[in-house]
Amino acid sequence: MLGNEFLFGGDYNPDQWKDYPEILKEDMRLMKLAGCNLMSVGIFSWATLEPEEGVYDFSFLDSVMDRLAENGIGAALATPSAARPAWMSMKYPEVLRVNERFERIRHGQRHNHCYTSPVYRQKTAEINRRLAERYKDHPALKLWHVSNEYNGICYCDKCQEAFREWLKERYDGDLDKLNHAWWSTFWSHNYTDWSQIEPPSPMGENSVHGLVLDWKRFATHQTIDFYLEEVKVLKEITPDVPATANWYWLAQRELNYKEFSKYVDIIAWDEYPLWHSPAGDLAIANEAAFIYNHCRCFKEGQPFLLMESTPSNVSYRTANGLKRPGMAVTTGLQAIAHGADSVQYFQWRKSRGGMEKYHGAVVDHEGSENTRTFREVAELGGHLKELKEIKAARTHSDIAIVYDAESEWALSDCFGFKTHDLQYDETCFAHHLPFYRRGFNIDVISPEDDFSKYRLLILPMLHIMREETAERIAAFTEQGGTVVMTYISAYVNETDLCHLGGFPAGRLKEVFGIRNEEIDSMYDGVSLPIKMADGTVFGAKDYAEVLHLQGAEALAVYDRDYYAGTPCLTKNRYGKGCAYYIGFRDEGDFLDAFYGGLTEELGIAPAAEGLPEGVTAASRVKEGEEYIFLMNFTAEEKKVSTNHPVLLGKRKEDAVLLPPYGTAVLKRRDNK
Amino acid sequence: MLGNEFLFGGDYNPDQWKDYPEILKEDMRLMKLAGCNLMSVGIFSWATLEPEEGVYDFSFLDSVMDRLAENGIGAALATPSAARPAWMSMKYPEVLRVNERFERIRHGQRHNHCYTSPVYRQKTAEINRRLAERYKDHPALKLWHVSNEYNGICYCDKCQEAFREWLKERYDGDLDKLNHAWWSTFWSHNYTDWSQIEPPSPMGENSVHGLVLDWKRFATHQTIDFYLEEVKVLKEITPDVPATANWYWLAQRELNYKEFSKYVDIIAWDEYPLWHSPAGDLAIANEAAFIYNHCRCFKEGQPFLLMESTPSNVSYRTANGLKRPGMAVTTGLQAIAHGADSVQYFQWRKSRGGMEKYHGAVVDHEGSENTRTFREVAELGGHLKELKEIKAARTHSDIAIVYDAESEWALSDCFGFKTHDLQYDETCFAHHLPFYRRGFNIDVISPEDDFSKYRLLILPMLHIMREETAERIAAFTEQGGTVVMTYISAYVNETDLCHLGGFPAGRLKEVFGIRNEEIDSMYDGVSLPIKMADGTVFGAKDYAEVLHLQGAEALAVYDRDYYAGTPCLTKNRYGKGCAYYIGFRDEGDFLDAFYGGLTEELGIAPAAEGLPEGVTAASRVKEGEEYIFLMNFTAEEKKVSTNHPVLLGKRKEDAVLLPPYGTAVLKRRDNK
Amino acid sequence: MLGNEFLFGGDYNPDQWKDYPEILKEDMRLMKLAGCNLMSVGIFSWATLEPEEGVYDFSFLDSVMDRLAENGIGAALATPSAARPAWMSMKYPEVLRVNERFERIRHGQRHNHCYTSPVYRQKTAEINRRLAERYKDHPALKLWHVSNEYNGICYCDKCQEAFREWLKERYDGDLDKLNHAWWSTFWSHNYTDWSQIEPPSPMGENSVHGLVLDWKRFATHQTIDFYLEEVKVLKEITPDVPATANWYWLAQRELNYKEFSKYVDIIAWDEYPLWHSPAGDLAIANEAAFIYNHCRCFKEGQPFLLMESTPSNVSYRTANGLKRPGMAVTTGLQAIAHGADSVQYFQWRKSRGGMEKYHGAVVDHEGSENTRTFREVAELGGHLKELKEIKAARTHSDIAIVYDAESEWALSDCFGFKTHDLQYDETCFAHHLPFYRRGFNIDVISPEDDFSKYRLLILPMLHIMREETAERIAAFTEQGGTVVMTYISAYVNETDLCHLGGFPAGRLKEVFGIRNEEIDSMYDGVSLPIKMADGTVFGAKDYAEVLHLQGAEALAVYDRDYYAGTPCLTKNRYGKGCAYYIGFRDEGDFLDAFYGGLTEELGIAPAAEGLPEGVTAASRVKEGEEYIFLMNFTAEEKKVSTNHPVLLGKRKEDAVLLPPYGTAVLKRRDNK
């Protein structure tokens, strides 16, 4: 994919420097110095390319593309739909998004067009066509970078009408079916005509949860539909150039990326972890790793692109601290370790004005290579060249955590439990951490993915449980798998209707050998002791489900309150496999001990053994070789014992040395 | 009223289960098992009853009513105005409320119609007429449950016009009178034409406090007017069926319930205390008791209905914890102890979808009687039958606390003191607690109520002081009563104009024998010592009024800052009575000690003596018998010495045992 | 200016008391008792003066003016534009402001007219003309109090059009120039037609920082333009009556007061420090002093008017505490000490209704002189008469701190560093405190002011650096001045474009002998040690710039993290002068020690030596005499040694005694 080397570069906005020819020239020198081979260009260039309606001027972009090609650098050429020229907003207000209060916004900012607007679709198709035609044979063109961080929902009449059409199809034109699915009799919300359906809004309906779920599904659908229309013309003209859309998870939770992933050629991700924030670097590394592990699994292990990251600071945090020395290298290699085939930065050069002028960049306002950031970026550029044999390598994992975008939607909109702070993502991260800090490879998959290739399957707060998912969980266990499920899982179906007959839903009661009578929610700061069979005590917080054994055995019980002595951790033999249920939220150490024991019991091995605290590992395999990345997320030097050859890093006797925030790469024959 | 037994049941929404006949059937079995005798039906049924404009379909409701009757269960039949069918919002946008920013909302949610809209009034009257005609002779019909939790204000042109008409009447068509009452010369706000008056709004005028008060008075007026129009048709057809409107105080502070109480046949209340939250259960029980004591006094002691409560958790709190074992029984009996003749639940059965699906219910999604909640509800059902002789009993109290909805309005809108957190309600609760925890019966009355039947009258922060109220306070004291008044009382008149000549207003300076020169407000966390004549030191917080004695004696003085040594607690003989003034806000223990001493001095006796910490008491009297409820709001077993017969509970030698969160009922001859 | 005595009085609203003739009469007695000689009248009188369009009624104002004159009291006669009559809003909606969401507000509140509206300008001119003509020869008329606290921005189409015209002029009609200045290529925001430019708004464009800066500049321009139109007619008719506009800094940060100051005859200021709040009185006194020092420097030392202040409490704080005894006198004299020639209060008498009825006043609702507040006000009135020889005295200072309204704009809108809490004002206050608590006179000037008359020039966070300012800083230093500059200074030009070539910009790198490679931002609570050459350790917080010496010497280095050992405080000889650079934010004691040493080294003397903690000093000079104000901002009595004659206060042997919160005034021959 895209050559034999790791891709390295970033967002490049020469449009901003048209009046500074010496800077445009200097950019080329500096890119080569840093080892760049792919730059994203044109992301916000529409106003430059089409200064008046129908008047196109590609001369500047021509010069940029030519200069890149001359210097042996590829272009991820963007379609410019992420921001429009002002003339378009003025002449065609329909391209402007309508917000959730049903107000049409005015021109400005970015990422805020209507996805349904025929005008916007036609204008986008036209500029895309011209770009594709002009550069189809250009040697710099490597990748289509379609739009930027697709984001948000429009509430205009056209979008509403499209939503109603989408619903008609989804519910077979049967309003009764929709009314039942949304339980709309509640508060007399029954619809008697399709035209009565409006999107959820603080100005109107916001109490029909099935509507909210379907509205988010529609938003995903419509965004993909817009993407496909953007891509259609590109594929006609440049069938061999891959196309992708860079996603920014934090900004756009309305999108179901699993769904979207089916339509892009390559997964591309923008990732901005809050390094050096009070959460602590290991916890932050864990979140980043979780996300990379998820990215890798969208397309069954296919390597993805880290499409944006910062070489130093960002500009929107409470405190925009700098990456410590070493971190630019290690955070880049972390993405590679988990399956990325690129490290791309936002941004190549700091802009002089505007709201991102203080966002980290490879090249500072100062303008030279004489900065710590530039030196570290260039160092990483060098390492990526040295490590190029790893490119396209895959990852093997016995463990899968299931992450479900739709459960996140359902829980974030939920009244009940600890309204509205259910911490779905945090819980998934917490179940990832015990494996991560021990250096296990972990897959983060979606409910629809194949479970059968794993040995250990983890279902944290899998609130939405479709019948077919439950069947596959049962089958997985029956055939010898080990499954772990938690509180608040399997309560509702895909339109947020509670399962009748008790939780967990249906057959899962047999799989886990329990039923869950009720769930207690605790205030922040309340700690509930739970006692293991051997007398060890851990702390629970937030949630305590009152469980009844129906075949399972209790591994731990609550140790206070009216449910003292009742089971909170259970184990059930089911077929050839085993099903664990955790009825409470871990306050701190329980999950670590539990999963530590479980992997030992199951004999699942990490990518590297004997890691010191704060050092993690991940590996990729290719052609019989396993490449092990050891990453030090502490400010101290660390040592890891190993006899494997060291591909990157400093060996010292029987060990490899990891400088503060440093990374080493080992190589061994793959045993799997 | 409504038979000889306590009423027991809850909100029943069979409309949601039309497609589940086995569940509809099971409901009847379970209701009888739980001891239910009254279910609220039809609250949100409009879309079912009138699926198209003018097309009525009562067949499903017929079957529900019949089934209830067949099973010996009564119906509190609701008028459906709390939520409209979608077709009505689409065809007649005028029924949709306009918010305080003058934006018309869209269809959705509930409790959000315009109270003035002729269309909405006509449609409501029509459906009500048809309901009344159809079920006037139905054996199940026991009570009209009119709408649901009337709530909020509409800012549409029609409401504005009605407001102006209401003002014309209130101010005798004299704009000068209104201008003076609202002090509108301030900031040049003088009105020169009635049409210039608009409701208070963040988009326009919000600095005229007299306007704010009158706008809230109008909202109460218009809500009552709407209620009366709903009821008119019901009374024509079913003159003998009582009508009520269930109120939910927390959601609807714009309403003056004292005013509304004059128009309903029975007081009906929805109460959701935050049990087991960090405030502590005794404090929470105190608030609930305060509110029940208030409900009972709306109609001079007439028993009220607890129309909604939860059997376990709610769904909108920060942490939706479960009621501990015993609490479903004790919280139900608490309402009875303070004068309720019913315990009704929201909700009978958890809905499958929508925003209240995780709200506690008698029947869970699981569907059977095999839950702790169901068992406890059924236990309470049994107790209510055993205790039926108490039904319709009254309460005797020597102590009254005055609660004034209009002072709450004035203080919540106030600039000054500790803007905008004046804690009026909390202060009233704090003055209730010392009596409550000692087991006194307390009346919570309104300023317009008769004071003469009490021995001790308490006026916490009675900010609005009408001349006639002041006169009645003076007369009460003169004739031998004991009155206690606090800081920030008697500052303004009924249109929020400050009284001239010094605080407290007018004749009250004589009654209390003091004048109040100025008031200091302290930041949170500041503690000011006050010293009693005997040297005891208590803590003040928030407010310190600088008082001058004009006849009164000082019982305590401030002990720091420039007002050190000046009086902060005063006592004045006035006529045959006695007037105490408290110039500061109690930080913790002062009120308890003060009221403890005062009741002792006055020889007022509690409902029960010698209560252990966390156990409270309240009593009702009927036909010469006094029924004493002992309620344990702790997680420990408690013992109360008594020789009275035990009607409910376990006697052990000379005492009755109260299990954790348990209740006992004693019976003795009434001495009063 | 305005007679030989200090001006004393306040906002007087007799319009509110038209129906209370006894109160209007009593006012005169009380004003004389308090020593008042100037009252502001008519501020919100428009509805009284023009009750119907074109119908004027000055009879009541006539009587007020006459009564003032009869009692020897002058009038600061207001133009009434700060609030309109309701009829005007109804008939001419264009006078109503449009908010930043492009919604036109409704009638109500105050300070919210459109500054561009031709109708509003014409109506204002007309009422002003009539006021001027009627009272031009009235003996009470002393000063034009134009409008009140000009405030806010309007977003209506007329204002937008005026903005575009203003831009055309500013950018020579050249859109390219504007596009470059605003760096609008960022996110494709290039403008291709002037009509595309809209003000910054959350509903549209808010990411173009140059636009934001220019919009605020335009707001200042348009406010001044409106002011000039108000004043034009006054000056025609009463050329000898000075005109001013009272400013309220906290409410109106959109205005650049330095710019506005060029157009008023006298500076007039409303100041409401948060006395006795948790920040501590010395810190609060420091902020007030900073602001007074700034007011005095707007017009090169010309005395200003304290136009509003409170004699006791305000009404909008979290806790509206009372001024402690002594504070009414001392806070009034503080303004005088720093260059005011008046002490005016808001408000003379508490209104009965409306949102300021609990705001402190000279006369309380009680109505008499028998209040502590009245007595203290009258005491101050007496002192001002005794001190009248000080009137018109000037201030001498060797030290200047540069405060830049435009840098505050740029930083408050900034993404980066510690978004969006950059604490520009707090930082300026922190650099003022070390001088203030030692009793130095300090000038607070603007970047455009003359630096050459100072010996020490301090530039805290001077983010915007124009080339000509940098040149004057260089010249100041070269010629022997000492300059101190901090982190985040000199990053951008006047349209918020980052300087290229490294920070600090251009020649300043030579002046300070350093370059700044990168800046680290720290979370709240993080403390970074810095070590002085002598080993002393101080704490830094928030910001740490990584500096490289280019000629300067390091006086201190960071003592932790990757930049440990690198310079954080530098000193550079430049020409005959010296330039210090501070790369970090002081956590506590550093600035105090640093500036303490620096003034000693430079031999700059304070207004008074040997001040006890919490006592400060400031002085004014006139005709060879220096008047030294000693102010005690503690609750304890303090003693200051002195042999100078005591003009106000109590001498005890070789010292003057300062009671709690008390002030003394000394007199000595001026040596400068």
Side-chain angles (χ1 to χ4, degrees), chain B residues 509-549:
Chain B
K509 275 189 285 294
E510 289 162 46
V511 174
F512 290 92
I514 53 145
R515 81 177 170 91
N516 153 20
E517 182 183 337
E518 56 187 0
I519 177 166
D520 196 26
S521 298
M522 294 171 270
Y523 283 88
D524 286 356
V526 174
S527 172
L528 172 69
I530 67 145
K531 193 190 273 182
M532 305 294 290
D534 68 0
T536 320
V537 173
F538 291 103
K541 65 175 180 179
D542 293 343
Y543 301 113
E545 283 182 342
V546 179
L547 307 177
H548 297 274
L549 301 178

Side-chain angles (χ1 to χ4, degrees), chain A residues 104-252:
Chain A
R104 194 172 295 276
I105 58 163
R106 300 208 177 189
H107 183 72
Q109 303 184 59
R110 58 171 182 169
H111 301 161
N112 52 14
H113 52 273
C114 168
Y115 286 119
T116 307
S117 158
V119 167
Y120 204 68
R121 287 181 169 228
Q122 183 260 313
K123 293 285 176 200
T124 302
E126 186 58 30
I127 188 87
N128 289 5
R129 172 177 307 280
R130 285 170 187 261
L131 280 169
E133 277 169 356
R134 189 163 195 97
Y135 300 109
K136 64 177 183 238
D137 299 319
H138 198 286
L141 179 64
K142 300 296 177 201
L143 176 69
W144 286 111
H145 179 296
V146 183
S147 201
N148 189 50
E149 296 180 351
Y150 282 118
N151 195 306
I153 310 182
C154 174
Y155 292 74
C156 77
D157 291 343
K158 288 188 172 67
C159 285
Q160 292 192 39
E161 192 48 41
F163 177 46
R164 287 186 282 265
E165 289 308 311
W166 180 86
L167 286 171
K168 274 184 207 165
E169 194 166 325
R170 182 171 178 85
Y171 292 102
D172 306 320
D174 182 351
L175 256 184
D176 284 348
K177 206 165 161 183
L178 176 145
N179 277 317
H180 184 273
W182 291 359
W183 209 251
S184 58
T185 312
F186 178 75
W187 292 356
S188 218
H189 288 164
N190 321 49
Y191 297 96
T192 52
D193 193 282
W194 294 94
S195 68
Q196 293 160 0
I197 301 173
E198 293 181 336
S201 163
M203 293 302 289
E205 188 60 274
N206 66 3
S207 50
V208 176
H209 288 193
L211 162 63
V212 174
L213 276 186
D214 275 344
W215 174 248
K216 291 189 177 180
R217 287 186 183 112
F218 166 74
T220 294
H221 166 87
Q222 201 69 348
T223 305
I224 294 170
D225 195 62
F226 184 90
Y227 171 80
L228 290 175
E229 200 156 328
E230 283 219 46
V231 164
K232 187 161 167 273
V233 61
L234 305 177
K235 290 291 179 186
E236 278 168 28
I237 300 163
T238 60
D240 299 330
V241 178
T244 190
N246 62 322
W247 298 331
Y248 184 32
W249 193 48
L250 286 179
Q252 172 52 305

